[in-house]
Amino acid sequence: MTIDDRNIIWLDLFPFLTYQKKSRILDLFPRGVDIKKSFSSKFEIRNMLTDLEYNKMLALVDDKILDDKIARYQADGIEMITIHDSKYPHLLREISSPPLCLYCKGNTQLLDTNCIAIVGTRKPTDYGIVVTKQYAKAFAECDLTIVSGLATGVDTIAHKTALENDGKTIAVLAGGLYNIYPATNISLAKKLTENNLIISENCPTTPSLSYLFPIRNRIIAGLSRGVVVTEGAEKSGSLKTARFGLEYNREVFAVPGKINSPMSKGTNSLIKNLTASITLSPDDVLDALNIEKENSKNISRQLDIKEQFVLNYIRTEKRTFQEIADYTEMSAHELNTILMGLEMEGLVTKLANNSYIMS
């Protein structure tokens, strides 16, 4: 580990230093200089800090303190990839404010793969759940690495769907790796570290503070060739990720929803304002990114009239088993056989309360 790498990791120990302040401090010194030994000589640094902040930094200039921190991270399987490292992802390096360091746990080789971001609301409707699963499954089958933020809702569905389809996925955290948020996703995060990856730009002890989430979103967009918003409310954080995608010249896509659905106001607005391309199927995204679809699965037979009758009824909204039976006038046994077949072929998704919707 070089002096320049250690400088960045040392600065990351101080949560009161914003990205801009860290960058300014680094710019004050030539490469190869141990900043913690020399920063007290720079009046510019003294002027940008309060007395308390300045004294906190003075108290941590001992090499042993930094060595102990780095040793603990490494013992816990955390790899530190700074912006000076050849392993640093090239797409992320191109953005206007690239993270100075990525704290990584898991398979860091995924940073050098074709990535696609899937983001959306923390409270998806049944429609949003189905759509997110559909896109994540298709991307996983085409060997794209799915990037998301480990939040509840769309993020969690995207990560889990990737795993379920033997795909690859990266979770970008707002806080440090020792503070997984939400707590309900601690087990998912642990599973991701086995063959996939979780990362953060903040040192592992950083708590998941609210202001860090929108800042984190720039990394999701920066890592990815494209950003897909599957469902999002008018003020959804996923819209911020989409805006970062546009700023970084990424392909941005939005899945349309019902005009009276609060959870589709954000995606519909992106489409209306021409800030995102409309996508009606994963193929739209794959075509735009020139991704081969050789692994995509197609229906190998013609649906019969009863199967098509069922699909038409559940095409736009979920229906319970009983509602489908009443509408089609089929026996429970016949309908169950049809639904099971359609579900196995990926055309129908079974939801809670014995409800179904077209995939």
Side-chain angles (χ1 to χ4, degrees):
M1 184 177 292
T2 68
I3 288 293
D4 298 310
D5 295 332
R6 289 171 62 86
N7 284 338
I8 291 172
I9 295 168
W10 181 69
L11 291 174
D12 282 345
L13 296 179
F14 307 103
F16 51 81
L17 288 178
T18 62
Y19 176 91
Q20 290 74 18
K21 284 184 178 180
K22 291 176 191 175
S23 297
R24 285 170 60 191
I25 291 172
L26 290 170
D27 288 341
L28 290 172
F29 297 88
R31 294 279 294 271
V33 172
D34 190 339
I35 291 178
K36 67 182 183 303
K37 301 293 186 183
S38 309
F39 87 102
S40 59
S41 65
K42 297 287 186 180
F43 72 91
E44 296 95 336
I45 298 176
R46 187 67 185 87
N47 289 340
M48 74 172 73
L49 300 173
T50 66
D51 289 341
L52 179 60
E53 291 170 342
Y54 186 77
N55 289 331
K56 282 183 177 180
M57 294 185 73
L58 276 179
L60 293 181
V61 296
D62 191 336
D63 273 332
K64 186 178 185 307
I65 295 174
L66 181 58
D67 290 340
D68 288 346
K69 290 284 187 182
I70 292 173
R72 182 192 172 189
Y73 300 159
Q74 292 174 334
D76 290 335
I78 296 172
E79 184 174 351
M80 292 147 279
I81 300 176
T82 75
I83 197 165
H84 306 304
D85 198 311
S86 60
K87 293 179 67 174
Y88 193 92
H90 69 279
L91 274 182
L92 192 59
R93 196 188 296 274
E94 295 172 358
I95 71 174
S96 56
S97 53
L100 299 173
C101 182
L102 295 175
Y103 297 85
C104 311
K105 191 166 185 178
N107 181 8
T108 55
Q109 292 181 355
L110 297 186
L111 294 172
D112 193 34
T113 58
N114 275 339
C115 295
I116 182 79
I118 298 181
V119 293
T121 177
R122 287 176 168 80
K123 298 178 180 179
T125 63
D126 291 329
Y127 169 76
I129 293 170
V130 169
V131 166
T132 302
K133 286 183 177 180
Q134 178 188 9
Y135 279 72
K137 182 176 185 292
F139 296 158
E141 290 176 349
C142 290
D143 206 31
L144 287 170
T145 299
I146 296 168
V147 181
S148 202
L150 201 72
T152 54
V154 165
D155 290 14
T156 296
I157 295 166
H159 292 306
K160 286 185 174 180
T161 303
L163 295 179
E164 290 165 1
N165 290 276
D166 298 320
K168 299 170 294 189
T169 185
I170 298 173
V172 185
L173 308 186
L177 301 189
Y178 293 152
N179 292 295
I180 302 297
Y181 181 87
T184 52
N185 273 348
I186 289 176
S187 60
L188 174 58
K190 184 177 180 181
K191 191 168 185 177
L192 291 180
T193 63
E194 295 170 5
N195 295 300
N196 290 276
L197 184 64
I198 60 174
I199 67 173
S200 174
E201 70 173 317
N202 296 300
C203 80
T205 56
T206 306
S208 298
L209 302 173
S210 59
Y211 75 90
L212 294 175
F213 286 87
I215 298 173
R216 173 277 309 271
N217 291 346
R218 83 187 195 287
I219 302 176
I220 295 176
L223 280 171
S224 308
R225 291 180 57 189
V227 177
V228 179
V229 187
T230 56
E231 191 176 42
E234 200 166 14
K235 295 184 179 180
S236 172
S238 59
L239 303 191
K240 181 71 171 176
T241 309
R243 286 192 286 272
F244 278 126
L246 292 169
E247 180 183 335
Y248 304 151
N249 294 315
R250 306 299 194 249
E251 298 278 358
V252 178
F253 306 87
V255 179
K258 292 182 178 179
I259 60 173
N260 60 350
S261 171
M263 287 303 146
S264 288
K265 282 190 174 181
T267 49
N268 289 343
S269 176
L270 286 173
I271 295 167
K272 176 185 176 182
N273 296 327
L274 302 179
T275 50
S277 300
I278 186 171
T279 170
L280 303 180
S281 78
D283 284 354
D284 295 331
V285 180
L286 298 172
D287 288 339
L289 297 178
N290 294 316
I291 301 296
E292 292 186 13
K293 294 171 283 186
E294 57 188 11
N295 294 327
S296 298
K297 297 178 181 177
N298 297 312
I299 307 167
S300 58
R301 64 176 181 84
Q302 184 71 35
L303 298 178
D304 66 33
I305 191 169
K306 289 186 177 180
E307 290 172 323
Q308 193 62 60
F309 191 34
V310 170
L311 282 179
N312 287 339
Y313 183 57
I314 62 175
R315 182 180 298 274
T316 57
E317 61 183 286
K318 68 176 180 178
R319 306 284 187 178
T320 65
F321 184 91
Q322 191 58 53
E323 285 175 329
I324 303 170
D326 292 342
Y327 181 79
T328 61
E329 298 183 347
M330 295 180 188
S331 68
H333 175 73
E334 181 181 25
L335 179 58
N336 189 56
T337 301
I338 289 174
L339 287 171
M340 285 182 63
L342 293 173
E343 191 176 2
M344 290 176 64
E345 294 191 65
L347 297 173
V348 163
T349 299
K350 186 175 183 179
L351 305 171
N353 303 319
N354 205 23
S355 297
Y356 296 82
I357 194 168
M358 184 174 173
S359 299

